[in-house]
Amino acid sequence: MSLSIRNQIPGTVTAVTPGEVMATVKVRLTGGQEITAAITLESVEELGLTAGTAVRALVKSTEVSLATAPVPGLSIRNQLPGTITDIATGGAMASVKVAVEGGELTSAITRDAVTDLGLTTGASVVALIKSTEVSLATA
């Protein structure tokens, strides 16, 4: 199956915490960082997710925000440090590629945000991703 989702990072499930309808799934990415996905309990069961399951964390580029430093006091669970490898700007939007340990993320943000944050190739950033925006696929 081919997907239009650009961000697909391999990892391994380290923990599943079930709730009544939703579950949080912690995944150790290939580069060693941890990411949390909040998915339905039905999906956990259908995918057979348990500790040790190989997965791919999938995130649409429009769901990846960027900050110039870690952001304390924020409900966003996933904050992945990285380095900008490329910026492609258009009239209103920009595509920013960020190398993170074990993979690469693409963030679709406004051109104004690139300017306001002073983003340049080689700059350090933190990719911010809400756990509800992380999907999982079995590898």
Side-chain angles (χ1 to χ4, degrees):
M1 172 191 303
S2 296
L3 297 173
S4 63
I5 297 174
R6 292 188 227 175
N7 299 313
Q8 301 184 27
I9 301 177
T12 304
V13 173
T14 59
V16 178
T17 305
E20 289 184 23
V21 176
M22 300 288 289
T24 57
V25 180
K26 293 198 183 296
V27 175
R28 174 137 345 261
L29 302 178
T30 301
Q33 319 90 316
E34 189 169 81
I35 193 168
T36 300
I39 62 174
T40 64
L41 192 55
E42 183 179 357
S43 292
V44 169
E45 293 166 359
E46 286 178 3
L47 293 171
L49 299 179
T50 60
T53 303
V55 295
R56 287 182 105 46
L58 310 171
V59 184
K60 289 176 62 175
S61 60
T62 53
E63 301 303 331
V64 179
S65 297
L66 298 177
T68 56
V71 184
L74 190 63
S75 66
I76 296 176
R77 300 291 77 191
N78 302 307
Q79 297 193 29
L80 303 174
T83 303
I84 296 174
T85 59
D86 186 56
I87 300 173
T89 56
M93 297 297 292
S95 175
V96 181
K97 292 188 184 296
V98 179
V100 297
E101 289 294 324
E104 182 177 72
L105 291 171
T106 299
S107 175
I109 60 175
T110 64
R111 183 177 177 173
D112 289 345
V114 171
T115 301
D116 292 348
L117 295 173
L119 301 181
T120 59
T121 301
S124 294
V125 291
V126 177
L128 307 169
I129 308 165
K130 290 178 65 172
S131 59
T132 54
E133 300 304 329
V134 178
S135 296
L136 297 175
T138 51

